[in-house]
Amino acid sequence: MNTIVQPRRRVQPIVNIDLGLRELPIFKKLSEEEMLNVELNSVVKNFSKRSVIYREGSRHSGLYCVLKGIVKVYKIGGNGKQQILKFAQKGDLIGYRSLLTNELACTSAKAYEDTVLYHIPQHIIMELFQQNWNFTHETMKFMCKELKESNMFITDIAQKSVRERAAEMLLILKDEFGVDKYNTLQITITREDLANMVGTVTESLIRVMSEFRNENLLELPGRKIVFRDIAKLKAIANI
Amino acid sequence: MNTIVQPRRRVQPIVNIDLGLRELPIFKKLSEEEMLNVELNSVVKNFSKRSVIYREGSRHSGLYCVLKGIVKVYKIGGNGKQQILKFAQKGDLIGYRSLLTNELACTSAKAYEDTVLYHIPQHIIMELFQQNWNFTHETMKFMCKELKESNMFITDIAQKSVRERAAEMLLILKDEFGVDKYNTLQITITREDLANMVGTVTESLIRVMSEFRNENLLELPGRKIVFRDIAKLKAIANI
DNA sequence: CGAACTGTTGAGAGGCTTCAAGCCTAGTGG
DNA sequence: CCACTAGGCTTGAAGCCTCTCAACAGTTCG
């Protein structure tokens, strides 16, 4: 039996090639030279399901870009209850806010599935911002998208009922994560987390989901969510 | 009596000098040359109290910067009810989102007092973004501030009671608009609008305000709001 | 000075939360 | 591979918070 450990240096570049970085909107704006410099300085990080990526109040050394998996971004309210702000997925940026303002993180992030993130150090990102307007513009557009969604969400949560918000949130999840050929939602989410997105308690969310099931708008086999009548859900959501 | 109208070309630069543009954080980052180019292409616009600055769904031809007065930025919910997202004041930027994404406005804006805005056309702003990283960075920081506030607000509105949110909103208004030596809040706001900020109906907001008055936390002479016990308000707001 | 708007309070209804109890199921360890 | 257990899911009952509707007082402004 050979006990000599083989060197594994060649693994790193091979991994990079498979990441498909260049296909993400944000990286498409970089020149080949810039991209190589990013790759030279960035790290691929794996997070297993449920592991914490960062916590509210921590300091970030760079920017995360989601390559694979799903990240739950949330805030903890005064009573310890989570408010989920978004589920980030492939191509989404997280942790950019505190990078730009040099403040501490105002949200927490957790891997919702086994997740692969790309961590780009702060100085590389800031360099790119200064050099490459297209890259900066793309980032700003991403920020604008989040601002728009926040504004819509504030209005909804302030004015709509739990039933309306639940219907709307299901449709948003459908848009973001898609469905398979049986109309099964392609993210597995606990009732508690769905409640934490909608901004209610688990019991209320479950009651609304049961209503939807009884009205033949959804099927709920196990933890799956199957859409049966999207038009009616849209009508309920009032969108 | 001399009926010849005197030329008034000199008025324009004199007005500009008095605007104090260079003292605003956002313009401090511009070189003298850039600032002159901005001034050459921008327009000062006056809006009288209650007049509409832009509406949800309209297209913007540039960016507004508030020079004087207060602007109410809001969304109309499905039932026609306003949700106030912010009150913008001196130095704040409005309408930048649709400028960056080329989308239609997703909010409406109204002058809450007689207001002076500085309107900078889109191409000038985009040029500055490309040329001057410090200016872009300052704008991005402004966006980050709004994102952070949005996230906090979503969490609060989803988890706190009307009483807690009302206390918090009063304290936020105090921070943003200040108080005079009698602790009188330096913005006059209707109960309805306060309710539209807090995310409740007018009657509920009034009941909470009356509670605060009965508990000697506030005085409410006419439309003024006088703070009597900020520490207790903070305790109620849970911040 | 009157009309229109804003502010205030009461009563009642209903949506949502809380507390409680039991079932289900997914993942772990033997 | 199965049994076990912790965590997720579900429903019921009770009560509270908030909204709705209504009536009227106060204030502002043409």
Side-chain angles (χ1 to χ4, degrees), chain A residues 92-106:
Chain A
D92 288 341
L93 303 178
I94 56 178
Y96 62 83
R97 202 199 56 84
S98 54
L99 183 126
L100 280 157
T101 60
N102 270 318
E103 292 175 357
L104 302 179
C106 71

Side-chain angles (χ1 to χ4, degrees), chain A:
Chain A
M1 211 174 151
N2 190 351
T3 57
I4 297 169
V5 176
Q6 295 296 321
R8 304 200 174 187
R9 290 219 183 79
R10 296 196 62 84
V11 170
Q12 177 69 5
I14 288 170
V15 168
N16 272 350
I17 286 166
D18 287 333
L19 291 173
L21 291 173
R22 285 168 182 76
E23 284 151 35
L24 300 178
I26 200 83
F27 293 121
K28 271 191 182 155
K29 306 295 180 181
L30 299 186
S31 69
E32 189 57 26
E33 191 187 357
E34 287 168 335
M35 193 66 231
L36 287 171
N37 188 44
V38 166
E39 285 176 342
L40 207 64
N41 286 281
S42 302
V43 186
V44 175
K45 290 193 182 182
N46 288 283
F47 291 88
S48 57
K49 191 172 173 171
R50 275 185 285 277
S51 62
V52 173
I53 295 164
Y54 64 80
R55 272 185 225 282
E56 211 165 327
S58 62
R59 188 169 289 286
H60 292 183
S61 60
L63 175 85
Y64 286 110
C65 177
V66 182
L67 298 185
K68 193 171 176 301
I70 297 173
V71 176
K72 175 170 85 171
V73 179
Y74 59 97
K75 267 182 92 73
I76 306 286
N79 46 9
K81 196 172 178 304
Q82 285 183 15
Q83 176 61 41
I84 297 178
L85 298 166
K86 63 179 170 188
F87 283 105
Q89 58 177 328
K90 190 175 173 180
D92 288 341
L93 303 178
I94 56 178
Y96 62 83
R97 202 199 56 84
S98 54
L99 183 126
L100 280 157
T101 60
N102 270 318
E103 292 175 357
L104 302 179
C106 71
T107 57
S108 303
K110 209 179 233 194
Y112 207 63
E113 301 177 346
D114 290 346
T115 291
V116 183
L117 299 183
Y118 201 57
H119 181 268
I120 311 172
Q122 179 166 28
H123 73 276
I124 298 287
I125 286 289
M126 297 307 268
E127 218 175 276
L128 284 175
F129 281 154
Q130 291 179 54
Q131 285 170 10
N132 186 333
W133 159 246
N134 285 329
F135 175 76
T136 312
H137 192 194
E138 202 61 32
T139 308
M140 284 174 112
K141 281 197 240 177
F142 184 81
M143 292 166 73
C144 285
K145 181 168 151 275
E146 301 214 318
L147 269 166
K148 178 185 176 185
E149 284 167 0
S150 291
N151 287 342
M152 285 168 45
F153 194 43
I154 287 169
T155 308
D156 283 346
I157 211 165
Q159 301 191 359
K160 288 183 176 177
S161 66
V162 168
R163 181 179 160 91
E164 290 171 302
R165 300 205 302 271
E168 183 172 11
M169 199 52 77
L170 288 170
L171 293 169
I172 289 175
L173 288 173
K174 179 177 162 292
D175 276 352
E176 286 187 7
F177 295 98
V179 292
D180 67 8
K181 57 180 175 175
Y182 305 110
N183 263 327
T184 306
L185 185 64
Q186 293 301 289
I187 175 177
T188 303
I189 182 170
T190 65
R191 298 290 191 266
E192 185 181 1
D193 279 332
L194 206 42
N196 289 343
M197 295 192 78
V198 168
T200 184
V201 294
T202 311
E203 295 94 322
S204 296
L205 187 278
I206 285 174
R207 277 179 241 273
V208 170
M209 296 285 278
S210 300
E211 278 174 33
F212 290 163
R213 188 192 52 210
N214 295 339
E215 295 165 28
N216 290 314
L217 310 178
L218 296 178
E219 281 171 42
L220 300 169
R223 263 166 210 179
K224 301 228 166 296
I225 296 174
V226 184
F227 291 92
R228 290 284 308 271
D229 194 334
I230 287 159
K232 272 194 191 153
L233 277 175
K234 279 186 184 164
I236 291 168
N238 207 0
I239 46 174

Side-chain angles (χ1 to χ4, degrees), chain B residues 119-145:
Chain B
H119 181 268
I120 311 172
Q122 179 168 29
H123 73 275
I124 298 287
I125 286 290
M126 296 309 266
E127 219 175 275
L128 283 175
F129 281 155
Q130 291 178 53
Q131 286 169 11
N132 186 332
W133 159 245
N134 285 329
F135 176 75
T136 313
H137 191 192
E138 203 61 31
T139 309
M140 284 174 111
K141 281 198 241 177
F142 184 80
M143 293 166 74
C144 285
K145 180 168 151 276

Side-chain angles (χ1 to χ4, degrees), chain B residues 5-164:
Chain B
V5 176
Q6 295 297 320
R8 302 204 177 183
R9 292 222 181 77
R10 297 196 61 83
V11 170
Q12 177 68 6
I14 288 168
V15 168
N16 272 348
I17 285 166
D18 287 334
L19 292 172
L21 291 174
R22 288 169 180 74
E23 283 150 34
L24 300 178
I26 202 81
F27 293 121
K28 270 191 183 157
K29 304 295 179 179
L30 298 186
S31 70
E32 190 56 27
E33 190 187 358
E34 286 167 335
M35 193 66 232
L36 286 172
N37 187 44
V38 166
E39 285 175 342
L40 206 64
N41 287 281
S42 301
V43 186
V44 175
K45 290 193 182 183
N46 288 282
F47 291 88
S48 58
K49 190 171 173 173
R50 276 185 286 275
S51 61
V52 173
I53 296 165
Y54 63 80
R55 271 185 225 280
E56 211 166 328
S58 62
R59 188 169 291 286
H60 292 186
S61 59
L63 175 86
Y64 285 111
C65 179
V66 182
L67 297 184
K68 193 169 177 302
I70 298 174
V71 176
K72 175 170 86 170
V73 179
Y74 59 97
K75 265 181 94 73
I76 307 285
N79 45 10
K81 194 171 181 301
Q82 284 184 16
Q83 175 61 42
I84 297 178
L85 298 165
K86 63 179 172 192
F87 282 106
Q89 59 176 329
K90 189 174 174 182
D92 288 341
L93 303 178
I94 57 178
Y96 61 82
R97 202 199 57 82
S98 54
L99 183 125
L100 280 158
T101 59
N102 269 316
E103 292 174 357
L104 302 179
C106 71
T107 57
S108 304
K110 209 179 233 192
Y112 207 63
E113 301 177 346
D114 290 346
T115 292
V116 183
L117 299 184
Y118 201 58
H119 181 268
I120 311 172
Q122 179 168 29
H123 73 275
I124 298 287
I125 286 290
M126 296 309 266
E127 219 175 275
L128 283 175
F129 281 155
Q130 291 178 53
Q131 286 169 11
N132 186 332
W133 159 245
N134 285 329
F135 176 75
T136 313
H137 191 192
E138 203 61 31
T139 309
M140 284 174 111
K141 281 198 241 177
F142 184 80
M143 293 166 74
C144 285
K145 180 168 151 276
E146 300 213 320
L147 268 166
K148 178 185 175 184
E149 284 167 0
S150 291
N151 287 342
M152 284 169 45
F153 194 43
I154 288 170
T155 308
D156 283 346
I157 211 166
Q159 300 191 358
K160 288 184 178 176
S161 66
V162 169
R163 181 178 161 91
E164 290 171 302

Side-chain angles (χ1 to χ4, degrees), chain B residues 161-162 200-201 203-204 207:
Chain B
S161 66
V162 169
T200 184
V201 294
E203 297 94 320
S204 296
R207 276 179 242 275

